[in-house]
Amino acid sequence: MYWYSIDGKRAASLEEAPLPPAGEGVPELFLVRGDPVSRPAVWHVTDPRQLTAEDADIRWLDPRRMGDRPELPEAVSSAAAGRLTGVNLQHPRWRRALDFTVHRPGKRRVHLLAVGDVGGTLLTALKLLGGDVISSVGICDLSENTVARWVTEMGQIAWPWDYDALPEVEAVPPERLFDCDVFIFAAARAIPPVGSGVQDVRMAQLAANRPLVEQFARQARAADFQGLFIVLSDPVDQLCQAAWQASNAGGEPERPDLLGLLPEQVQGFGLGVMNARAAYFAKRDPRFASFLTGGRAFGPHGRGLVIANDLENYDDELSRELTRLTLEANLQVRELGFKPYVAPAVSSGAMQLLLSLRGEWHCGSVPLGGVWFGCRNRFTSRGLELETLALPEALFARLRETEQMLRELSR
């Protein structure tokens, strides 16, 4: 075991590194060398097996499946139970990653791109609910009248006699989009109309929305953006990966230079509404009631979604039925003649962002093995933390299928 000092923090490593030496003790950092394309640059360690595993894939959600616990000094093993930050020295911006944090004291500035149906609903929710963590929301849209309308409307929402309690809303020009702490991509070039007969609306949007998110990801790189890059447009998971790849292409798409957005800087907000929809059905059918206390949602916002009825008493048949109901919930709203955007904007967008800024557990798509995968996670002072669980075999098999599907879609 080798010991180093990084900005006053003790670091341990199984390999030598050109860093200032330090004495043995309880480390705050653990240094590894792994594929910077498929691994986070920095993460909150929840199991010592994450320190020695060759791959950072879906097994990180259930570390037991990575094999035996590695033999490490007691000081390292004990710290790996929640007090340790993993650092991938292979990532050229690992020092930058150590400074990246979402949960911190003070309020943050949020910028929102596009205030259409989803963006306008999201903006309203952030205005009403985000006063404790959001200082202001800057909005940008192709239509100047749309921006002026929302600035005016939001400016006229206030608690009587407490006029500074809610975040201010103001227009922001395109060149200042990344002068903020959080950027939300809610733009969309094509949404199949109600009655179009399109079954998988999200995937129909990929071809149209991918060039758009890539454009703003490159702008984020040019601005040296150091905040949180949130994708709310569909398909959330594929657009997250497209944004990260475009930001890090460096002129050679096949050989990323990794000088753009960190993988943990990009998160997709689509799973929150799927979790809420599963709860909606669980409240109405006693067969699914255990989801409300022991269930989970995993995977993408759309095909490949995995709903688990209960982690301790997992029932594969019931879980698959609840997954189907959750996936079809948006079609029910479309059959009524409406676009299903209110619940996604609030449950996936506003609520998950506010939980993120508060350092609480939330639903979001995070980088896992080169794809973005939805799970329960939170931002901590030690890095992004993924919830680790003992997953039943049948459930883990479903997660593997989804992981493989996402890999195929990313090719």
Side-chain angles (χ1 to χ4, degrees), residues 100-102 109-111 113 177-178 180-187 209-233 236-248 260-269 353 356-357 362 364-367 372 379:
F100 173 67
T101 180
V102 174
R109 179 173 175 80
V110 176
H111 281 178
L113 177 66
L177 264 176
F178 292 96
C180 61
D181 302 297
V182 179
F183 169 76
I184 305 175
F185 179 86
N209 290 340
R210 179 168 186 155
L212 195 58
V213 79
E214 289 175 337
Q215 171 190 336
F216 288 98
R218 287 189 286 269
Q219 184 177 338
R221 172 189 172 117
D224 195 23
F225 181 55
Q226 300 183 40
L228 186 60
F229 190 110
I230 295 295
V231 175
L232 192 58
S233 301
V236 165
D237 312 85
Q238 286 76 32
L239 291 182
C240 281
Q241 186 165 12
W244 180 81
Q245 289 174 334
S247 172
N248 286 279
L261 294 167
L262 299 165
E264 51 267 39
Q265 269 184 274
V266 181
Q267 191 156 140
F269 282 174
L353 175 59
S356 299
L357 296 180
H362 64 277
S365 293
V366 300
W372 264 253
F379 291 100

Side-chain angles (χ1 to χ4, degrees), residues 37-39 56-58 237-238 240-242 244-245 263 266 365-374 399 402-411:
V37 174
S38 61
R39 283 176 174 267
D57 57 16
I58 199 67
D237 312 85
Q238 286 76 32
C240 281
Q241 186 165 12
W244 180 81
Q245 289 174 334
V266 181
S365 293
V366 300
L368 262 182
V371 298
W372 264 253
F373 196 97
L399 299 184
T402 292
E403 180 188 38
Q404 182 59 35
M405 181 203 76
L406 292 171
R407 288 192 193 286
E408 292 174 357
L409 287 174
S410 68
R411 291 172 184 167

